[in-house]
Amino acid sequence: MKLIIKFFPEITIKSRQVRKRFVQQLKKNLRVLLPQIDPGVRITGDWDSLELSVTDDPALQTRIIERLRNTPGIAHFNEVHEYPLGPLDELAQLCVECFGAELDGKTFAVRCKRVGHHPFSSTDVNRLIGSRLMEQTGALGVSLREPEVQVQLEIRNQRVFLIQARHEGMGGFPLGTMEPVLSLMSGGFDSTVASYQMLQRGLLPHFVFFNLGGRAHELGVRQVAHHLWERYAASHRLRFISVPFEGVVADILENVENSQMGVVLKRMMLRAANRVAFRRGYQALVTGEAIAQVSSQTLPNLAVIDQASELLVLRPLITTSKTEIIRTARRIGTEAFSASMPEYCGVISVSPDIHTNPAKVAAAEAGFNFALLDEAVLQATHTDCCDLELDMEGSEVEVVQQALAGQVVLDIRPPDEQEARPLTLDGIEVQVVPFYRLNSRFAELDPGRAYLLYCEKGVMSQLHAQYLLDRGHDNVRVLRLSTP
């Protein structure tokens, strides 16, 4: 199979030097990603498009297509059949053979794109092929405005590509064409979508997580960060940095005036993020804040929050509605993660000040012990995203390799995984409870029975088992089946 990759339109309007750099970066990224799937893949082209020759294995082809759909810098790509350019009569007959069965009883239009010098125009090609298809197929007729079938082909010098299918990409700039940034990640809808939008613009968003809720919360955020890296950024090394913030939160609760707590917490996070970013060489901070979504996100409050940062703070969602943010999360595959993320509100102001000013915040921070902030940054852990799914140290959840009679296995995988690979265990009761429904459903289960949570990687099962254990359910374990 051959695939033709078309670049994001903004790449094609760059200067020659910048365009060349962007295309070379995309090619470099693909040469990291695609051989992991198909060692025999060949990548050629540079200026106008890239051409991929893929092994004739349908399973590998499906995985290649999925990877390309989620690679920044690609506007769309076409599955094509390639032929040498001969006389137009031969080309017309070829189109009859390739598209004839698809046109039966349908309207169609012929779309030809040409590159190179030829003794004919694209219009000549459209007319000849259209006439031949009408004569030799069961097509209903030609409809240039709203055809049911588009017969698409490209003539590139002395080669012809008959387009069999078109796949949309994620657009944006190739990853690595812009500077590295540090994204403040809570695992919720906003921070996750903001991080994705950085990826889409070619930036490298490393993740910093301020742990307010214990192991369960961190495991969930790790899963979201790993998903973003694995699906959209596996061509690069991204890092996940966890900063223990319980001590900072405790001091705010004890020593900061109630109405200023939310703003002070955000300022402490920015201060800590600045130190991490300076150490790593990251060029800016990214947050998921949007105007007036919560009390700390008014213009006066955001202005005061930003004064705690020496680095530029990027807010890609600043005017985006929550509905649109959730819609994007659904599209990029993070909605279920964010929807099921345990909510940890470390600092809750009873009457938050929505029009604070520097003087008020300075007074509120006067009693804060900044040594706690220094200690939190020093104790931060730094992990490559590629290692996050294996980094389960410190969990108190019991992991078993086999279910026993009388125990119930709860399959918490997403519905598509459950349907594709149903879990059956001889003599063991298996109940299907997707992870994003588990916390609400668990209270309805028989408390006298033992439950084993199962997912293929063991990450989400461990997260939710820890969460349930922390809430007093001591009849929960994790089932990790050994792979054959």
Side-chain angles (χ1 to χ4, degrees), residues 92-103:
Q93 193 60 36
L94 190 61
C95 289
V96 171
E97 296 171 3
C98 289
F99 299 104
E102 188 180 358
L103 299 181

Side-chain angles (χ1 to χ4, degrees), residues 431-446:
Q431 296 185 22
V432 173
V433 184
F435 65 86
Y436 49 84
R437 294 178 181 168
L438 179 64
N439 295 336
S440 59
R441 286 278 306 277
F442 197 83
E444 303 170 6
L445 301 178
D446 182 357

Side-chain angles (χ1 to χ4, degrees), residues 2 38 44 90 118 127 146 179 182 222 258 313 358 388 466 475:
K2 174 159 282 192
D38 178 7
T44 59
E90 292 183 6
H118 305 94
R127 287 174 177 169
E146 297 182 354
E179 294 76 15
L182 186 61
R222 288 180 181 184
N258 186 276
V313 180
L388 283 176
Q466 184 68 58
N475 56 341

Side-chain angles (χ1 to χ4, degrees), residues 5-240:
I5 293 175
K6 301 294 185 178
F7 308 132
F8 183 55
E10 285 187 44
I11 296 175
T12 64
I13 62 174
K14 299 293 183 183
S15 68
R16 183 177 184 85
Q17 181 179 3
V18 172
R19 177 174 176 174
K20 182 178 180 180
R21 177 170 64 86
F22 277 34
V23 171
Q24 289 302 313
Q25 182 66 57
L26 176 58
K27 186 186 294 188
K28 179 181 178 182
N29 294 349
L30 293 177
R31 284 176 173 162
V32 172
L33 295 169
L34 300 186
Q36 300 176 27
I37 302 173
D38 178 7
V41 67
R42 298 195 308 274
I43 305 171
T44 59
D46 47 30
W47 180 255
D48 187 51
S49 62
L50 297 180
E51 298 181 18
L52 271 60
S53 297
V54 183
T55 302
D56 291 331
D57 182 330
L60 294 184
Q61 292 174 359
T62 299
R63 292 175 60 194
I64 290 283
I65 288 171
E66 182 63 20
R67 174 57 73 186
L68 294 177
R69 286 170 57 89
N70 297 317
T71 298
I74 298 176
H76 68 271
F77 56 100
N78 297 321
E79 293 182 51
V80 304
H81 290 160
E82 180 183 357
Y83 304 91
L85 176 62
L88 289 189
D89 279 343
E90 292 183 6
L91 177 57
Q93 193 60 36
L94 190 61
C95 289
V96 171
E97 296 171 3
C98 289
F99 299 104
E102 188 180 358
L103 299 181
D104 191 30
K106 298 178 181 178
T107 61
F108 73 95
V110 180
R111 315 287 194 201
C112 176
K113 179 180 178 181
R114 277 188 322 112
V115 176
H117 299 286
H118 305 94
F120 52 81
S121 66
S122 297
T123 301
D124 294 333
V125 176
N126 293 339
R127 287 174 177 169
L128 177 60
I129 295 176
S131 175
R132 190 69 58 85
L133 291 173
M134 281 297 299
E135 293 171 359
Q136 298 188 22
T137 72
L140 186 62
V142 174
S143 175
L144 297 180
R145 290 191 175 183
E146 297 182 354
E148 295 176 88
V149 178
Q150 291 196 53
V151 176
Q152 296 181 290
L153 64 153
E154 290 190 16
I155 299 176
R156 289 178 167 270
N157 298 311
Q158 297 305 306
R159 296 186 299 165
V160 175
F161 297 129
L162 299 187
I163 300 174
Q164 305 302 303
R166 170 176 165 139
H167 304 276
E168 297 302 318
M170 64 181 285
F173 295 145
L175 200 61
T177 53
M178 301 294 169
E179 294 76 15
V181 295
L182 186 61
S183 184
L184 279 66
M185 172 69 77
S186 71
F189 290 104
D190 302 340
S191 61
T192 303
V193 172
S195 298
Y196 168 80
Q197 292 192 350
M198 294 296 100
L199 287 167
Q200 198 174 33
R201 294 302 289 182
L203 294 105
L204 294 171
H206 301 267
F207 309 108
V208 61
F209 166 62
F210 295 99
N211 194 336
L212 311 180
R215 288 187 301 274
H217 192 191
E218 177 165 340
L219 290 175
V221 180
R222 288 180 181 184
Q223 183 72 1
V224 175
H226 185 272
H227 172 86
L228 288 175
W229 168 79
E230 184 178 50
R231 187 166 183 177
Y232 303 106
S235 58
H236 286 73
R237 178 186 180 188
L238 299 186
R239 297 188 70 84
F240 180 89

Side-chain angles (χ1 to χ4, degrees), residues 230-263:
E230 184 178 50
R231 187 166 183 177
Y232 303 106
S235 58
H236 286 73
R237 178 186 180 188
L238 299 186
R239 297 188 70 84
F240 180 89
I241 298 137
S242 177
V243 182
F245 237 50
E246 296 92 336
V248 172
V249 169
D251 198 77
I252 290 175
L253 288 169
E254 183 176 349
N255 297 311
V256 173
E257 195 270 318
N258 186 276
S259 68
Q260 306 298 317
M261 285 182 176
V263 169

